[in-house]
Amino acid sequence: MNNEEYVFAPDDFVLAGNDHDAFIDDTYFKQSYWKDMLSRFTKNKGAVVGLFVIFLIILMAIIGPGLNEYTYDFQTISHQNLAPRIELLEPLGIFDGSETMSTSTGMVEINKYVSEDGSLTGLEDTYYWFGTDVLGRDIFTRTWEGTRISLYIALVAVAVDMLFGMSYGLISGYFGGRVDMVMQRISEIINGIPTLVMVTLLIIVMKPGLGTITLALAIRGWIGMSRIARAQVLKLKEQEFILATKTLGAKDFFIIFKEILPNIFGQLIIMSMFSVPNAIFTEAFLAFVGLGVPQPLASLGSLISDAFKSFTTHPYMIIFPVIVLALIMLSFNLLADGMRDAFDPKMKEM
């Protein structure tokens, strides 16, 4: 046996250090949950486009009505039924104020901004970017005023979902038993009343307007969110971490809003985004059938309803409000779909 004594020099060993990232597989590199969520969201091109369009529409709703000298209720009878005219695009032969109309003698192209015999009409220096309606009101200004109402409805839908529907579903699912039975029967009774009937009854009692529509959405717009929140609570309330929290003496409402809610908040945000297009469509439908905001206020639904009467003769009146409404609903759907995949990729399979 060799009893030779070994002497180690200071440079015989190299410290591994405290860099824990060195032990992480490069394929699954370390990053926070929010960075991972943002990465998944940005990879969804449709969601990014939807978010950009929403920001653009919000910007236009803020500044759009102030981009020209007209107001949403300004009427000039001599300017009625004027086709769209844009100064920058007029030399290209598009949006030059001309429109093609069907008459008894065939298709005729007219331009009310200029006269056929060369006489002055007083409209040579007048520009309406989206044209005018049958009362001579600027459709561009009225469209973005109507967009403000649609965005307000979207905000109301999210607020009702998150403040009332979420709390209602959390409490109902957590306590269960008789409390859950009573709360669910109440929601089923409210949900059984058709929206159109409810709004009609509210209009009989109250004045027609945005407040009536807001109240109608607030009365029953939370039902879907409450059911989703209740289902999520039923899945989580028997988990071990909830049992441990109860063992430590935590109160019921602390468990609901401090333990359960953070674990399902992502799903609730997603579902509230999906409820926005439905709320906007409900307002547009009510306005279309004459139960919306009163004149001269304009929503996208009322603009479409008014322009529908002139669709065969002046189709431009309905095209722009329809495009804006479709973009709002499509963008919110794309955003909600992207948020669903970003918060929890497994939800896509559900």
Side-chain angles (χ1 to χ4, degrees):
M1 173 177 249
N2 189 0
N3 294 324
E4 183 178 350
E5 182 179 355
Y6 291 97
V7 179
F8 297 101
D11 58 349
D12 286 341
F13 298 93
V14 178
L15 291 175
N18 295 323
D19 187 7
H20 299 291
D21 292 343
F23 301 97
I24 298 177
D25 195 319
D26 291 338
T27 306
Y28 302 98
F29 57 92
K30 182 181 179 182
Q31 64 178 355
S32 68
Y33 168 77
W34 293 106
K35 286 185 179 180
D36 188 40
M37 185 198 72
L38 182 61
S39 175
R40 288 196 297 266
F41 181 82
T42 53
K43 289 179 181 178
N44 190 323
K45 305 303 181 185
V48 174
V49 171
L51 182 61
F52 173 77
V53 173
I54 290 173
F55 279 134
L56 182 61
I57 289 176
I58 292 175
L59 177 64
M60 288 303 300
I62 295 173
I63 68 173
L67 292 179
N68 55 36
E69 66 273 19
Y70 308 110
T71 60
Y72 71 92
D73 56 350
F74 181 76
Q75 301 182 19
T76 306
I77 300 301
S78 60
H79 292 186
Q80 61 183 355
N81 300 332
L82 293 177
R85 187 186 186 194
I86 302 177
E87 187 174 6
L88 296 177
L89 299 179
E90 189 176 14
L92 302 178
I94 55 176
F95 291 103
D96 57 355
S98 60
E99 59 177 325
T100 302
M101 300 185 63
S102 177
T103 64
S104 58
T105 58
M107 304 299 293
V108 179
E109 182 173 330
I110 62 173
N111 190 331
K112 296 182 179 179
Y113 292 90
V114 296
S115 61
E116 297 181 359
D117 56 3
S119 60
L120 297 178
T121 63
L123 300 175
E124 289 77 13
D125 296 327
T126 303
Y127 294 90
Y128 288 101
W129 299 331
F130 286 179
T132 62
D133 60 10
V134 293
L135 296 178
R137 296 174 297 193
D138 180 39
I139 297 178
F140 178 86
T141 303
R142 291 177 61 78
T143 296
W144 297 119
E145 283 286 346
T147 303
R148 289 181 177 181
I149 294 179
S150 295
L151 295 176
Y152 164 78
I153 293 297
L155 181 62
V156 169
V158 173
V160 169
D161 275 349
M162 300 307 295
L163 295 179
F164 190 76
M166 179 187 69
S167 301
Y168 194 94
L170 289 173
I171 294 172
S172 176
Y174 178 81
F175 289 102
R178 185 172 298 177
V179 174
D180 182 50
M181 183 186 68
V182 173
M183 295 181 72
Q184 290 307 304
R185 297 298 82 77
I186 293 174
S187 65
E188 288 174 3
I189 292 172
I190 296 175
N191 193 46
I193 304 174
T195 303
L196 189 59
V197 174
M198 183 178 295
V199 174
T200 304
L201 293 175
L202 287 174
I203 288 176
I204 294 175
V205 178
M206 304 170 59
K207 293 182 179 180
L210 194 57
T212 305
I213 297 175
T214 302
L215 183 58
L217 292 175
I219 289 176
R220 56 169 296 164
W222 52 272
I223 302 294
M225 174 61 74
S226 69
R227 290 177 175 175
I228 294 169
R230 174 178 176 270
Q232 294 294 327
V233 173
L234 291 175
K235 290 170 55 179
L236 290 180
K237 72 175 185 177
E238 302 299 335
Q239 297 290 328
E240 289 80 1
F241 73 95
I242 299 297
L243 178 60
T245 307
K246 289 181 179 179
T247 305
L248 293 174
K251 302 297 183 181
D252 290 330
F253 283 96
F254 178 88
I255 296 174
I256 292 174
F257 293 102
K258 293 294 185 180
E259 297 293 336
I260 295 179
L261 180 58
N263 286 280
I264 65 174
F265 192 70
Q267 290 90 328
L268 299 184
I269 287 289
I270 295 165
M271 295 308 163
S272 67
M273 288 294 102
F274 275 117
S275 69
V276 167
N278 183 52
I280 293 175
F281 176 78
T282 300
E283 186 280 327
F285 168 74
L286 294 175
F288 185 81
V289 298
L291 300 178
V293 294
Q295 296 288 347
L297 287 175
S299 69
L300 293 177
S302 62
L303 288 174
I304 294 171
S305 177
D306 294 340
F308 182 75
K309 305 169 187 176
S310 305
F311 177 68
T312 56
T313 55
H314 306 287
Y316 64 86
M317 293 184 186
I318 199 174
I319 289 176
F320 297 107
V322 165
I323 290 176
V324 174
L325 180 61
L327 285 176
I328 292 175
M329 298 181 64
L330 178 62
S331 299
F332 272 106
N333 274 319
L334 290 174
L335 176 61
D337 186 69
M339 291 179 65
R340 179 194 63 190
D341 297 342
F343 274 104
D344 188 358
K346 294 184 291 184
M347 288 188 65
K348 192 172 185 179
E349 303 172 0
M350 297 176 60

